[in-house]
């Protein structure tokens, strides 16, 4: 049974930070031309547009690079999907691997998500730059991470598990209750109006 | 701070998301080349004051290499383009000529 580095950690400040429930993660690499029909058959999702995520329930296909997707599936289903994808792609050039233990998922919730993210990443986290459905791979502090929004007040962050505590601590610092910025919160929008 | 638009993922990437890869469009001399030709490839690089073509990798993003045309004096970016090419595309050259009429390749 794998360990989840952030299990049980929680921080309440400008946003709530917690470990997202563990999910199966699959790296899928190859060209969309060759792989998208197998993805549609096995997962029921079309190849997402550049920089976007496609979801059906808790199953997601996140665009990582022009030739790479990260598939998120409920815990315990990754191995089975890897085998099914492998079978249907047997005659095509591809890579499919269960990387569930490679990364950790954090969930950030609250109206201050954009404010907190903006302190630690150079990525554009404005509503136009990071709309719901977009996946932004960038830098969080000193490490690589992927950021996406599930809804207007919930962000998920994927980072390598070896730096999970670093990312958690960094975000907790940025979300300190006395470090309020109120730029993209509803209060901030009122002040700017 | 330099920001470049990655042509592979479309993201406007901050300099700190990128890894520099040196001069673009170099032709590597093969095993049959003369010592002089290999020396020229290996050591004798241009160091222009002005327009420069460079390689960058979107290291913290999509991970892909791409090329950029940049002014080394002002950091003005004339354009970025995919790395699967041996020469800058015409629209980038056009953008450079508009901004630097005196420039010659």
């Amino acid at each position: 049974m794998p360990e989840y580095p952030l299990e049980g950690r929680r921080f309440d400040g400008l946003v709530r930070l917690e470990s997202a429930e563990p999910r199966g993660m699959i790296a899928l690499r190859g060209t969309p031309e060759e792989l998208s029909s197998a993805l549609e058959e096995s997962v029921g999702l079309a190849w997402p547009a550049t920089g976007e995520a496609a979801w059906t329930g808790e199953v997601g296909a996140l665009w990582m690079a022009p030739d790479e997707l990260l598939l998120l599936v409920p815990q315990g289903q990754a191995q089975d999907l890897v085998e099914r994808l492998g079978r249907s792609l047997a005659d095509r050039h591809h890579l499919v691997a269960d990387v569930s233990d490679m990364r950790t998922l954090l969930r950030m919730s609250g109206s201050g998500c954009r404010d907190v993210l903006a302190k630690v990443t150079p990525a554009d986290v404005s509503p136009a730059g990071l709309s719901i459905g977009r996946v932004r791979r960038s830098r969080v502090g000193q490490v690589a991470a992927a950021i996406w929004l599930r809804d207007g007040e919930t962000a998920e962050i994927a980072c390598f598990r070896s730096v999970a505590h670093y990312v958690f601590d960094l975000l907790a610092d940025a979300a300190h209750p006395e470090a309020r910025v109120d730029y993209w919160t509803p209060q901030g929008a009122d002040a700017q109006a | 701070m330099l920001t470049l638009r990655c042509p592979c993922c479309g993201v406007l990437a901050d300099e700190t998301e990128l890894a520099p890869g040196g001069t673009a469009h170099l032709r590597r001399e093969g095993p049959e080349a003369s010592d002089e030709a290999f020396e020229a490839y290996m050591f004798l690089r241009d160091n222009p004051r002005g327009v420069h073509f460079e390689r960058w990798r979107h290291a913290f993003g999509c991970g892909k290499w791409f090329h950029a045309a940049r002014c080394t004096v002002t950091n003005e970016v004339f354009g970025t383009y995919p790395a699967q090419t041996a020469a800058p595309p015409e629209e980038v050259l056009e953008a450079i000529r508009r901004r630097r009429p005196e420039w010659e390749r």
Side-chain angles (χ1 to χ4, degrees), chain A residues 26 29-30 59 84 98 138-139 160 167:
Chain A
I26 297 168
R29 297 197 66 168
V59 177
R84 275 191 291 137
D98 181 356
S138 182
R139 192 169 60 74
F160 288 119
V167 171

Side-chain angles (χ1 to χ4, degrees), chain A residues 91-171:
Chain A
D91 59 341
R92 272 164 278 180
H93 182 63
H94 75 285
L95 177 148
V96 55
D98 181 356
V99 292
S100 302
D101 296 329
M102 184 163 142
R103 295 187 178 95
T104 294
L105 300 171
L106 279 81
R107 182 180 301 110
M108 183 193 275
S109 43
S111 61
C113 278
R114 292 183 195 276
D115 283 356
V116 171
L117 285 171
K119 293 186 195 178
V120 295
T121 173
D124 179 2
V125 294
S126 67
L130 187 68
S131 51
I132 296 166
R134 267 199 88 74
V135 180
R136 180 65 155 90
R137 290 181 82 182
S138 182
R139 192 169 60 74
V140 167
Q142 306 195 31
V143 299
I147 304 163
W148 61 92
L149 298 178
R150 290 305 298 269
D151 58 53
E153 299 204 337
T154 312
E156 290 184 325
I157 297 153
C159 64
F160 288 119
R161 57 176 293 139
S162 57
V163 293
H165 284 288
Y166 166 77
V167 171
F168 190 96
D169 291 341
L170 184 79
L171 289 169

